[in-house]
Amino acid sequence: MGAAVNLLDLDSAGLTRFCEEIGEKPYRAKQLLRWIHQLGRSDFSEMSDLAKAFRQKLTELAVIRSPEVMSDHVAADGTRKWLLSTGEGNAVEMVFIPEVNRGTLCISSQVGCALACSFCSTGRQGFNRNLTVAEIIGQLWWANKTLREDDAIRFNQDNQNNETGRVISNVVFMGMGEPLANFEHVVTALDLMLDDRAYGLSRRRLTVSTSGLVPAMDRLRERCPVALAVSLHAPNDSLRDELVPINKKYPIHMLLAACERYLAAAPRDFITFEYVMLDGVNDRIEHARELVRLVQSIPCKLNLIPFNSFVGSGYRRSSPEAIRVFRDILMQAGLVTTVRKTRGDDIDAACGQLAGQVLDKTRRAQRSLTRMPG
């Protein structure tokens, strides 16, 4: 079969095909799902209910390999960030956020990002490649395994997911990359997360964030509807064109129409709109009122995100007072609105700060330099 097959790349159907190809019964796939994803094992010799001959085949033909951990940091508030190698000098980041009644893992879907949102440190670095299924699901696999075994993170049993006994109860695709630009690999990973024989998470506890790839939003609605978060960040096209350049291709009216279509299949009865608060850019009273008019007819929740600065961003975080006034205008209009608590900023794990290491194939930095006036 050539090179060893990384079994983290395969969902239930893929594992079934693999087993059949090597002369094993299809039910072996269910056993492998349990050992790999529920129990977090990577050593075939430990899979005690598999026949010895099957284990020997697996040793010769397959591996279970997640991205290598390059660094592991824990913030003062308990937030934990891992830097994961994806080879050839590239790395991505994932973050675990412990809370009183849940534990959320924020994972990456690409090495870098091609969408170039102006306020995002990942977007500033350019784009290298999509992550494989193994590199995506491997983040959850590794974090589950590590958080179970490592006493450095102590989590009361009452706070664990009752169905799985795991610390991680929620997964959000809000790390590096645009998830819907890596559609097939992301959806296969979602299938594994939803599979009761693997991670058994509910659709409500899986969130995909998008900057607004409208055709892919429609595909996700049809293929694997999970909770959806949309990076809005502006109440009009002219401002959003500057902040989120994909808006030039899929402007706000197209984006909101896609959101309404998505709600028909969504596991939650609302869309989350994310709105990063940038001082003097999108945080004025008139912006808040314009935002109310824009989204008030769509069942939604607004998540205001205080901007987390990075070197060379050119932006500042809105003042607490500006954020409060903005929030109050939205709430007085009857819109459910929250202000995201900044977590892990002392280890650069906060929203918008994930940067990893990206060897930029788009040569974005070089192109930017050539456009600068002499």
Side-chain angles (χ1 to χ4, degrees), residues 170-188:
N170 296 62
V171 177
V172 297
F173 283 76
M174 296 182 181
M176 294 176 64
E178 163 57 56
L180 295 187
N182 186 13
F183 187 88
E184 292 299 335
H185 290 169
V186 164
V187 167
T188 300

Side-chain angles (χ1 to χ4, degrees), residues 16 73 92 103 133 157 163 212 224 227 236 253 275 316 324 371:
T16 299
H73 297 288
V92 298
V133 176
Q157 288 290 330
E163 296 178 3
C224 188
N236 58 65
H253 75 276
Y275 195 101
R316 296 188 307 272
R324 185 193 65 77
R371 288 197 298 266

Side-chain angles (χ1 to χ4, degrees), residues 93-97 104-108 139 172 174-175 354:
E93 294 178 334
M94 70 170 172
V95 175
F96 174 67
I97 305 166
T104 300
L105 187 70
C106 176
I107 65 176
S108 296
Q139 295 171 68
V172 297
M174 296 182 181
L354 300 190

Side-chain angles (χ1 to χ4, degrees), residues 14 103 110 148 208 220 253 263 299 320 324 326 345 350 361 364:
Q110 296 180 308
R148 278 202 306 261
V208 169
L220 187 68
H253 75 276
L263 280 166
R324 185 193 65 77
F326 199 96
D345 55 350
K361 288 186 176 179
R364 183 173 302 148

Side-chain angles (χ1 to χ4, degrees), residues 66-372:
S66 64
E68 178 186 352
V69 174
M70 299 173 66
S71 66
D72 179 351
H73 297 288
V74 181
D77 63 9
T79 299
R80 188 168 183 175
K81 182 177 77 168
W82 292 274
L83 181 68
L84 308 172
S85 172
T86 54
E88 299 179 343
N90 291 298
V92 298
E93 294 178 334
M94 70 170 172
V95 175
F96 174 67
I97 305 166
E99 297 177 88
V100 172
N101 57 0
R102 65 181 177 180
T104 300
L105 187 70
C106 176
I107 65 176
S108 296
S109 56
Q110 296 180 308
V111 183
C113 184
L115 298 192
C117 296
S118 64
F119 53 85
C120 177
S121 60
T122 301
R124 289 289 182 92
Q125 287 197 85
F127 174 74
N128 186 274
R129 66 174 176 85
N130 287 328
L131 293 184
T132 65
V133 176
E135 290 167 334
I136 296 171
I137 202 68
Q139 295 171 68
L140 176 57
W141 183 87
W142 173 264
N144 259 331
K145 180 182 175 69
T146 303
L147 293 171
R148 278 202 306 261
E149 296 173 353
D150 195 341
D151 288 338
I153 296 291
R154 296 187 180 276
F155 217 71
N156 188 288
Q157 288 290 330
D158 292 338
N159 292 336
Q160 295 187 7
N161 182 296
N162 291 332
E163 296 178 3
T164 65
R166 291 193 176 93
V167 174
I168 297 167
S169 62
N170 296 62
V171 177
V172 297
F173 283 76
M174 296 182 181
M176 294 176 64
E178 163 57 56
L180 295 187
N182 186 13
F183 187 88
E184 292 299 335
H185 290 169
V186 164
V187 167
T188 300
L190 287 171
D191 286 340
L192 278 165
M193 294 176 192
L194 291 165
D195 194 324
D196 287 339
R197 294 162 297 184
Y199 298 95
L201 296 173
S202 74
R203 294 183 188 274
R204 294 173 59 87
R205 292 181 176 270
L206 293 177
T207 301
V208 169
S209 177
T210 180
S211 294
L213 273 64
V214 167
M217 291 168 64
D218 288 330
R219 289 178 67 198
L220 187 68
R221 181 193 76 236
E222 296 167 1
R223 173 68 176 75
C224 188
V226 293
L228 186 69
V230 174
S231 298
L232 188 57
H233 307 310
N236 58 65
D237 282 323
S238 60
L239 181 53
R240 195 165 191 267
D241 284 350
E242 296 176 21
L243 299 177
V244 186
I246 195 66
N247 193 73
K248 297 172 185 176
K249 186 171 185 179
Y250 305 114
I252 288 176
H253 75 276
M254 293 179 64
L255 177 61
L256 296 186
C259 289
E260 294 197 45
R261 292 192 297 271
Y262 196 89
L263 280 166
R268 294 179 174 174
D269 57 0
F270 62 88
I271 299 289
T272 298
F273 289 120
E274 297 173 308
Y275 195 101
V276 66
M277 300 295 293
L278 302 169
D279 182 39
V281 176
N282 65 351
D283 64 346
R284 301 188 182 112
I285 289 174
E286 57 265 33
H287 292 134
R289 291 173 176 159
E290 193 175 6
L291 184 59
V292 168
R293 293 192 294 272
L294 183 69
V295 304
Q296 61 185 355
S297 64
I298 299 175
C300 65
K301 170 185 171 183
L302 284 146
N303 190 6
L304 306 182
I305 305 169
F307 174 66
N308 293 301
S309 187
F310 55 91
V311 175
S313 71
Y315 294 110
R316 296 188 307 272
R317 177 185 296 187
S318 300
S319 69
E321 176 64 11
I323 295 173
R324 185 193 65 77
V325 170
F326 199 96
R327 179 203 64 193
D328 289 350
I329 291 171
L330 300 179
M331 293 181 70
Q332 287 163 11
L335 296 172
V336 177
T337 307
T338 60
V339 177
R340 181 178 294 175
K341 181 180 179 183
T342 298
R343 299 291 301 268
D345 55 350
D346 55 325
I347 57 169
D348 289 339
C351 182
Q353 289 183 314
L354 300 190
Q357 296 171 197
V358 180
L359 298 180
D360 178 23
K361 288 186 176 179
T362 65
R363 298 186 178 180
R364 183 173 302 148
Q366 290 173 291
R367 294 204 313 271
S368 296
L369 285 172
T370 60
R371 288 197 298 266
M372 292 176 66

